[in-house]
Amino acid sequence: MNWEKIDRLAKEWVMEAGKSIRSSFDKTLNIQTKSNPKDLVTDMDKEIEQFFIRKIRGIFPEHRILGEEGFGDEFENLHGIVWLIDPIDGTMNFIHQQRNFAISVGVYENGIGKIGLVYDVAHDELYHAFRGKGAFMNEKQLPTLKETTVKESIIGLNATWVMENRRIDHNLLIPLVREALGTRSYGTATLEMVYVATGRMDAYLSMRLSPWDYAAGAVIVEELGGKVTNLRGETLNYLSMDSLLVAKPGLHQTILKDYLKDGKW
């Protein structure tokens, strides 16, 4: 398999898709809801996913595609090469802010992440990793992540996810929030993952995400020595929704052991 070709084309397609999204900033979007009034989708989300599908099918017809908007394939396993695509992660931010959203593309082989691309369209920042060859922001190589403590850490945590999940006692997270240097919430899982990769944050937690939300970011973070699991410390499930804990080495284990051990995550 020519992974260099896949990597090159994936980057070209992501940049082309980003250009299309930027051109939509001064246009009126067709906005709809999906599972609930806060779960938004636009015509641009759908167009970008269909753009990727056309490109992938045209050159790699044997590859399979798992996309947020449902235009890809049906899945029972991750055999072969699978593209996991979120055409616009952070659709609410895209609609209301025209920033803090990203295109996310992960390419996996038999369940193992090979390529991860997260493109911050508004800031023209492409975070990318090719397994075994380092991780980059545009052309700048990112350094390996260093260990840190909770007291020195900025942690990404969306309070809405905690409060709306009635199975979770949100009081369990209060000690973590109190002891951390600070908390942040950007509303875009893919960007929050790459913010851990760049050191802008030190950890990120989420209660419920889909595979296309974390597939690309996981490749980037793991390439730099970070840890990516669910909140139970288990390997992520790339076929269904799961919780998420992304953190620098050492910090990941500390959060699991000292702050999350009693939760029904």
Side-chain angles (χ1 to χ4, degrees):
M1 180 57 58
N2 188 341
W3 283 101
E4 287 75 14
K5 178 180 179 180
I6 295 173
D7 183 55
R8 174 176 55 81
L9 289 175
K11 288 174 182 172
E12 290 177 4
W13 296 338
V14 165
M15 300 303 287
E16 186 176 346
K19 184 177 180 180
S20 295
I21 293 173
R22 281 193 295 271
S23 71
S24 75
F25 282 172
D26 60 353
K27 298 177 182 178
T28 301
L29 296 170
N30 178 9
I31 304 170
Q32 300 172 328
T33 60
K34 294 191 289 186
S35 61
N36 62 69
K38 297 180 182 179
D39 188 9
L40 305 178
V41 64
T42 71
D43 49 346
M44 186 56 61
D45 292 79
K46 297 176 181 179
E47 288 177 17
I48 295 301
E49 183 165 311
Q50 291 170 327
F51 161 80
F52 279 111
I53 289 173
R54 288 194 304 271
K55 292 292 189 180
I56 296 165
R57 298 238 192 274
I59 297 180
F60 307 111
E62 72 280 10
H63 294 187
R64 295 188 294 159
I65 303 164
L66 179 60
E68 179 176 13
E69 307 312 330
F71 297 110
D73 301 297
E74 296 291 330
F75 281 81
E76 294 183 355
N77 58 62
L78 289 175
H79 297 166
I81 296 178
V82 178
W83 296 62
L84 297 98
I85 298 171
D86 194 339
I88 300 179
D89 183 34
T91 298
M92 187 179 293
N93 291 346
F94 167 59
I95 295 169
H96 291 277
Q97 301 175 349
Q98 293 189 345
R99 66 190 64 231
N100 294 324
F101 68 91
I103 300 170
S104 178
V105 176
V107 188
Y108 280 58
E109 183 179 37
N110 298 323
I112 304 298
K114 297 290 188 177
I115 293 169
L117 306 171
V118 174
Y119 184 40
D120 182 341
V121 176
H123 294 99
D124 192 27
E125 293 178 343
L126 177 62
Y127 303 87
H128 55 101
F130 191 148
R131 181 173 289 273
K133 296 190 176 182
F136 299 79
M137 193 278 283
N138 291 338
E139 301 306 316
K140 180 181 179 181
Q141 185 164 6
L142 299 173
T144 301
L145 294 173
K146 307 296 184 186
E147 293 193 12
T148 189
T149 66
V150 170
K151 290 183 179 181
E152 298 171 302
S153 297
I154 294 177
I155 296 175
L157 178 66
N158 187 332
T160 303
W161 284 112
V162 180
M163 299 300 291
E164 289 185 352
N165 193 326
R166 296 178 182 177
R167 294 188 304 105
I168 295 173
D169 180 1
H170 67 273
N171 291 300
L172 292 172
L173 293 173
I174 290 176
L176 177 62
V177 172
R178 281 179 174 165
E179 292 188 31
L181 183 63
T183 60
R184 298 291 183 271
S185 178
Y186 297 92
T188 304
T190 53
L191 285 181
E192 291 175 283
M193 292 183 77
V194 297
Y195 288 171
V196 174
T198 60
R200 295 173 185 170
M201 296 198 305
D202 301 285
Y204 169 60
L205 293 79
S206 185
M207 306 303 130
R208 185 164 59 92
L209 292 172
S210 296
W212 47 79
D213 293 317
Y214 46 73
V219 178
I220 297 169
V221 172
E222 289 175 348
E223 185 66 16
L224 296 170
K227 294 283 291 181
V228 182
T229 67
N230 62 24
L231 296 180
R232 300 178 300 280
E234 303 164 345
T235 301
L236 291 171
N237 185 343
Y238 288 94
L239 289 176
S240 65
M241 301 187 81
D242 210 341
S243 59
L244 180 67
L245 171 60
V246 181
K248 291 181 175 179
L251 179 63
H252 183 279
Q253 184 60 29
T254 298
I255 292 174
L256 275 177
K257 176 176 174 290
D258 296 344
Y259 300 94
L260 302 182
K261 61 182 178 180
D262 297 321
K264 295 180 173 61
W265 314 108

